[in-house]
Amino acid sequence: MIGKNTLETKPIPAAKVKEILEEFKAKYGDEKLSYEQNLTLDHATSLTKLSLEDTEKLIEELEAYVDYKQAVRIADIVPRDMDDLRLIFAKERNAPSNDEMKEILEILEKYEVEEDLFL
């Protein structure tokens, strides 16, 4: 198996995954994507709510309130109310305060979601 040693683990937003796989697909064609890569691309395409540029800007803004991993999770989900935001931090030890969560929601309101799939 290639790549037995993990050199670094860092979460990346779904928008970045989508971009990487689309570039690979454009360069090498559909037949070079594995079954798992095709599933991942379909999943990332259907659930990505923000462009990559907006996602990166949002993560930078959110890092003032939460760590990078949590900022990526928030940027992928883009919660629109306090209940959804609280669910993200349900099992976290270092959850932000209610005031910080309100500020996070204010930041999220600045970003226009491309498509809300669950309405």
Side-chain angles (χ1 to χ4, degrees):
M1 180 165 113
I2 298 174
K4 290 183 182 179
N5 296 329
T6 303
L7 301 176
E8 179 183 358
T9 59
K10 181 179 176 184
I12 60 173
K16 182 70 174 172
V17 172
K18 178 183 169 186
E19 178 187 274
I20 291 168
L21 289 174
E22 284 177 343
E23 286 176 5
F24 186 85
K25 184 177 180 178
K27 186 174 182 179
Y28 298 109
D30 288 339
E31 61 276 350
K32 292 291 183 177
L33 286 178
S34 69
Y35 175 74
E36 291 84 5
Q37 290 169 330
N38 272 317
L39 284 178
T40 303
L41 179 58
D42 290 343
H43 182 75
T45 301
S46 65
L47 294 181
T48 301
K49 296 180 179 183
L50 298 173
S51 68
L52 180 58
E53 296 81 25
D54 285 346
T55 301
E56 290 172 347
K57 289 180 201 173
L58 177 60
I59 290 171
E60 285 180 23
E61 289 184 54
L62 292 174
E63 283 187 294
Y65 302 98
V66 294
D67 64 16
Y68 181 78
K69 179 181 174 183
Q70 293 169 336
V72 169
R73 193 176 314 147
I74 292 169
D76 283 344
I77 297 171
V78 192
R80 291 298 181 185
D81 60 17
M82 187 65 80
D83 292 334
D84 290 342
L85 189 57
R86 280 192 184 118
L87 286 174
I88 293 173
F89 299 107
K91 293 185 178 182
E92 298 287 334
R93 289 185 179 184
N94 57 347
S97 67
N98 282 338
D99 292 335
E100 290 174 328
M101 284 191 196
K102 287 177 185 175
E103 291 177 25
I104 290 171
L105 286 174
E106 289 174 11
I107 291 170
L108 290 170
E109 287 175 4
K110 292 190 289 185
Y111 293 90
E112 187 174 326
V113 174
E114 290 178 5
E115 181 178 319
D116 202 351
L117 301 172
F118 301 106
L119 284 180

